[in-house]
Amino acid sequence: LLTQPYTLTFTYTSTTPPITLTRSVTGLVPTTFGAAKKLVLTPPPGGGDSGKALSPPPVITVHDWAGNTVQDSTVQVTAKVEPSSGTLGGTTTRAPLNGVVAFTGVTLAGKVDTPYILTFESATVSGITSVSATNNPVNLTPGDATELALTAPAASMPSGALLSPQPAVTIRDAQ
């Protein structure tokens, strides 16, 4: 419940007899939020290392039809990722606190150089407009090293001879 200042002005005009009456009343009026109608993403989600928490984390605000934050919303918001080669980790469905859902600690694992689109929607209340970060795709950097891969094996050579070709090892992350 919000209390907003207001001024109401009433004017009555008559042509017979010619008269104008005006009355103004000023005070506070209690107002309530409308029902949840849309989800707003602010700021756009950040990227980071594959498999680590998104930084900055996505933050969703629940708005009513007039753009007010619905402070007492019980809408459950779910994060999803496209393409499906990306994997979200952590708690991907959350309830708002004072109309705001912060997806702190949510991780995204996937391939480097693949733009991932995060979408936020609610299945708990019908008629809510979902939001996608289509203009701000998440790009990942390599995650922690988890594997050494022999990518160019050495040829068989006599003892003491220089290896030709030289062996090559690639460091890879979990993706």
Side-chain angles (χ1 to χ4, degrees):
L1 189 66
L2 291 176
T3 303
Q4 299 290 328
Y6 73 93
T7 300
L8 295 175
T9 303
F10 302 94
T11 303
Y12 170 77
T13 305
S14 173
T15 54
T16 22
I19 188 170
T20 300
L21 301 172
T22 302
R23 170 83 171 146
S24 292
V25 178
T26 302
L28 298 175
V29 62
T31 57
T32 58
F33 305 104
K37 287 294 178 191
K38 66 180 175 178
L39 304 176
V40 177
L41 175 65
T42 52
D49 293 348
S50 177
K52 301 268 178 105
L54 296 169
S55 180
V59 176
I60 302 298
T61 305
V62 181
H63 283 194
D64 66 8
W65 65 271
N68 300 308
T69 300
V70 182
Q71 302 270 336
D72 59 353
S73 176
T74 58
V75 169
Q76 294 286 310
V77 179
T78 300
K80 296 182 178 183
V81 65
E82 287 294 328
S84 60
S85 61
T87 305
L88 288 174
T91 306
T92 57
T93 298
R94 298 185 180 192
L97 177 62
N98 297 322
V100 177
V101 183
F103 283 91
T104 53
V106 169
T107 62
L108 175 58
K111 299 284 185 189
V112 175
D113 297 328
T114 299
Y116 293 98
I117 306 296
L118 296 179
T119 300
F120 303 88
E121 59 189 31
S122 175
T124 56
V125 178
S126 63
I128 292 183
T129 305
S130 63
V131 62
S132 291
T134 53
N135 293 334
N136 297 73
V138 175
N139 292 300
L140 298 174
T141 53
D144 294 337
T146 59
E147 175 185 9
L148 293 176
L150 186 62
T151 52
S156 178
M157 301 296 292
S159 176
L162 185 61
L163 295 175
S164 179
Q166 292 286 307
V169 176
T170 302
I171 301 171
R172 295 183 178 157
D173 66 9
Q175 302 307 311

